Amino acid sequence: MKEWWSGLQVSERRILIIGAVALGLILPYFGIWQPMKNDVAELEKQVQEQQAVKRWMQQSSAEVQQLRGAGNSNSVRPQDGRSLLAVVDQTAKRSGLGPGLKRLEPEGQASVKVWLEQVAFDQMVAWLTSLEQKNGLAVDTITIDRQDMDGRVNARMTLEAPGA
C-alpha cells in the first residue's frame, strides 16, 4: 500500500485526500442523519394521527354516555307479561336472527345471556337497537368475533332489563 501511495504523483495524492475527506463528510449525512430525520418525520406524523383518533374516541365516548343515559330514561319493561327469554327469542326470530340464535340462558330475574352464530352484523345491531327502544333491554356485556364470510359474526352477550 505504501509503495502504491508513494508511486502516485502529488496531484493524484491531493485528489485522493480531498475525495476521502468529502466521503467522510457526506457518508455520515446520507447514511445516518438523513434516514434518522426521515424516521422522526414519520413518527411525528403517526403521533398526530393517533392524537386525532384519541380525540375522536373521546368524543364518541361522550356521545355514547349521553345516549346511554337518554336510553335508560325512556326504557320500559314489556307490559304484556312475557319473560325476558320470550321477548329475546321472539324478537330475534322476527328480526331474521332465528337460525343464528344458538342459546338463551336466564341470568337472574332481569338479564339473559344470548349466543348468536353466523349472523349478519348489521341485522344484529338493528335487532339490539329495536330491543332497547321497544322493550327497554340494554346490552350489559358483548363479545363479537368476526367470521370468514363478509359481514357475518358470532356474538355472546348479556341483555339486561332497565333498573337491573
Side-chain angles (χ1 to χ4, degrees):
M1 185 75 151
K2 286 184 181 183
E3 288 179 26
W4 174 77
W5 184 258
S6 58
L8 294 175
Q9 294 179 5
V10 175
S11 62
E12 291 173 334
R13 284 187 213 157
R14 197 174 303 141
I15 290 173
L16 285 175
I17 291 172
I18 292 172
V21 170
L23 187 62
L25 294 174
I26 293 173
L27 193 59
Y29 177 78
F30 287 106
I32 298 171
W33 180 256
Q34 191 65 34
M36 217 168 44
K37 185 177 170 186
N38 291 342
D39 289 345
V40 167
E42 181 64 29
L43 289 172
E44 286 173 347
K45 180 181 172 188
Q46 288 176 2
V47 166
Q48 289 174 354
E49 290 170 355
Q50 293 299 320
Q51 287 173 338
V53 169
K54 178 184 173 193
R55 282 190 300 276
W56 175 82
M57 290 177 79
Q58 288 172 333
Q59 290 170 348
S60 296
S61 174
E63 288 177 25
V64 166
Q65 294 300 327
Q66 183 181 14
L67 291 172
R68 184 176 283 163
N72 286 342
S73 64
N74 296 333
S75 296
V76 292
R77 286 183 185 259
Q79 297 189 1
D80 56 7
R82 294 182 296 167
S83 70
L84 289 177
L85 288 174
V87 170
V88 171
D89 183 55
Q90 290 170 1
T91 58
K93 288 177 180 173
R94 268 189 258 135
S95 297
L97 297 173
L101 185 60
K102 296 303 176 188
R103 188 169 165 192
L104 286 174
E105 183 178 292
E107 182 84 4
Q109 292 293 327
S111 62
V112 62
K113 286 188 176 185
V114 181
W115 283 263
L116 297 170
E117 292 181 6
Q118 293 294 325
V119 296
F121 178 78
D122 293 341
Q123 200 172 13
M124 180 186 71
V125 170
W127 171 64
L128 291 172
T129 302
S130 172
L131 270 178
E132 183 171 4
Q133 291 173 350
K134 294 179 181 175
N135 302 102
L137 298 179
V139 176
D140 180 46
T141 60
I142 190 166
T143 303
I144 300 173
D145 298 318
R146 182 178 61 194
Q147 298 301 298
D148 293 335
M149 197 180 332
D150 283 346
R152 295 288 175 168
V153 297
N154 286 351
R156 292 174 307 281
M157 64 190 82
T158 302
L159 302 173
E160 268 190 1

